[in-house]
Amino acid sequence: MSEIFKLESVSQFNAQRGQRTLHPLVSVLDQSKSKPIQGARFVSELYIIFLKKVKCEELKYGRSHYDYQDGTLLFIAPGQVFGFDDDENMFQPTGWVLVFHPDLIRGTSLGRSIKDYGFFSYDVNEALHLSEHEREVILDSFSKIRYELEQAIDKHSKTLVISNIELFLNYCMRFYDRQFITRDNIHKDILTRFESALNDFFGSDAPQIVGLPSVRFFAEKLNLSANYFGDLVKKETGKSAHDHIQEKLINVAKERVLGSNRTISEIAYEIGFKYPSHFTRLFKQQVGKSPVDFRLSSN
């Protein structure tokens, strides 16, 4: 495993590629004009969005290899690792890249909403694949940002740059919604596997070992990132993945409350609760009766 280097600034990113820095906090690069870069892995303190049109099989993101398709966007957020394991060879960057420091948007509306763009936490196999028209829209957004960076700085510059970044990200939200629709069959298979994973989990002794399962727990079972999995389930069903898990939990609890003579505490421990009082509180919130009252009313 190659050493992991820290990528701290826009100027550092640009310098590695032999390109000028027009603004210390944001850059848009046509990577055909970049010089070859030394293979290395980086932990980024920047937001980086790569647009690739040609295959680049060597790039790693997190722990996974990613084979770029024509017109593919890959999003990297601060704290994430990306780069090349092969540190003995030089690589020619291709496509386009938008990179900006969190300080650029700090205190702005985009700074407050950037967390809502869940695709920054998607895995590489969940990258955004673009149509030719969508790619043109993205390149137009990059061109507008680049144009502002090439102008003399005035009181409007920062607002226009940030507004264009926000517009770009909103287009990406739209294109991801389209991708969820066009991959409908794949996603229905994932929902089927999710339901199966829920049944397997609560049909075993896993709750007593793992405790109450999280969205991330099932996302990892399905080899998806938690954000992508949550967005997928919400878009396909109208309910959050958390709601699905909780609904299954309550249904299992109802069955065991009515179908056995075990105490409420024993049932609570069986389905993953550390404290029976927490189970009783949730059950009453969801069912309208405590587990004891639910059992008595059914009898």
Side-chain angles (χ1 to χ4, degrees), residues 91-150:
F91 298 90
Q92 176 58 54
T94 58
W96 289 77
V97 61
L98 166 64
V99 53
F100 60 95
H101 195 282
D103 284 351
L104 177 73
I105 61 173
R106 205 177 304 280
T108 68
S109 62
L110 179 56
R112 291 186 290 273
S113 66
I114 191 81
K115 64 182 182 302
D116 298 330
Y117 298 99
F119 42 74
F120 278 108
S121 297
Y122 289 176
D123 283 342
V124 288
N125 58 312
E126 302 153 352
L128 178 57
H129 305 293
L130 303 171
S131 69
E132 187 58 34
H133 173 69
E134 290 169 346
R135 182 175 180 274
E136 290 172 3
V137 171
I138 295 304
L139 286 174
D140 183 60
S141 295
F142 284 1
S143 176
K144 286 182 170 64
I145 298 167
R146 177 81 184 186
Y147 172 82
E148 284 303 322
L149 296 178
E150 291 173 340

Side-chain angles (χ1 to χ4, degrees), residues 205-223:
D205 60 359
Q208 299 160 50
I209 301 168
V210 176
L212 295 175
S214 64
V215 172
R216 183 175 297 278
F217 174 86
F218 286 106
E220 290 175 353
K221 289 283 185 185
L222 299 171
N223 296 316

Side-chain angles (χ1 to χ4, degrees), residues 12-225:
Q12 179 190 359
F13 184 92
N14 292 345
Q16 288 171 350
R17 289 155 177 77
Q19 296 221 40
R20 285 192 307 142
T21 296
L22 301 177
H23 190 290
L25 297 179
V26 57
S27 185
V28 174
L29 302 181
D30 174 356
Q31 298 230 75
S32 67
K33 298 176 181 177
S34 292
K35 69 179 184 180
I37 59 174
Q38 182 70 45
R41 301 190 77 207
F42 299 92
V43 58
S44 175
E45 293 188 5
L46 311 170
Y47 289 97
I48 307 172
I49 301 98
F50 290 106
L51 170 62
K52 295 288 183 179
K53 188 171 174 58
V54 297
K55 289 182 181 289
C56 178
E57 297 182 356
E58 299 88 355
L59 185 69
K60 284 195 70 175
Y61 175 69
R63 294 170 292 175
S64 304
H65 281 282
Y66 186 70
D67 182 7
Y68 280 118
Q69 306 297 316
D70 285 355
T72 297
L73 280 172
L74 180 62
F75 300 83
I76 296 169
Q80 294 177 336
V81 176
F82 75 101
F84 304 86
D85 271 344
D86 185 352
D87 56 7
E88 297 180 358
N89 293 303
M90 304 293 287
F91 298 90
Q92 176 58 54
T94 58
W96 289 77
V97 61
L98 166 64
V99 53
F100 60 95
H101 195 282
D103 284 351
L104 177 73
I105 61 173
R106 205 177 304 280
T108 68
S109 62
L110 179 56
R112 291 186 290 273
S113 66
I114 191 81
K115 64 182 182 302
D116 298 330
Y117 298 99
F119 42 74
F120 278 108
S121 297
Y122 289 176
D123 283 342
V124 288
N125 58 312
E126 302 153 352
L128 178 57
H129 305 293
L130 303 171
S131 69
E132 187 58 34
H133 173 69
E134 290 169 346
R135 182 175 180 274
E136 290 172 3
V137 171
I138 295 304
L139 286 174
D140 183 60
S141 295
F142 284 1
S143 176
K144 286 182 170 64
I145 298 167
R146 177 81 184 186
Y147 172 82
E148 284 303 322
L149 296 178
E150 291 173 340
Q151 306 309 304
I153 295 177
D154 60 28
K155 65 180 182 179
H156 303 289
S157 299
K158 182 177 179 180
T159 299
L160 289 168
V161 167
I162 293 174
S163 295
N164 277 297
I165 292 175
E166 189 165 18
L167 178 63
F168 158 73
L169 294 175
N170 287 333
Y171 273 121
C172 292
M173 290 281 278
R174 168 186 278 180
F175 298 155
Y176 255 117
D177 282 347
R178 183 270 309 156
Q179 183 161 296
F180 277 113
I181 294 170
T182 56
R183 294 184 173 185
D184 187 56
N185 288 338
I186 297 172
H187 293 160
K188 280 185 167 49
D189 176 62
I190 290 171
L191 291 176
T192 299
R193 289 163 54 206
F194 176 35
E195 184 63 31
S196 178
L198 279 168
N199 290 333
D200 290 345
F201 182 83
F202 286 108
S204 69
D205 60 359
Q208 299 160 50
I209 301 168
V210 176
L212 295 175
S214 64
V215 172
R216 183 175 297 278
F217 174 86
F218 286 106
E220 290 175 353
K221 289 283 185 185
L222 299 171
N223 296 316
L224 298 169
S225 68

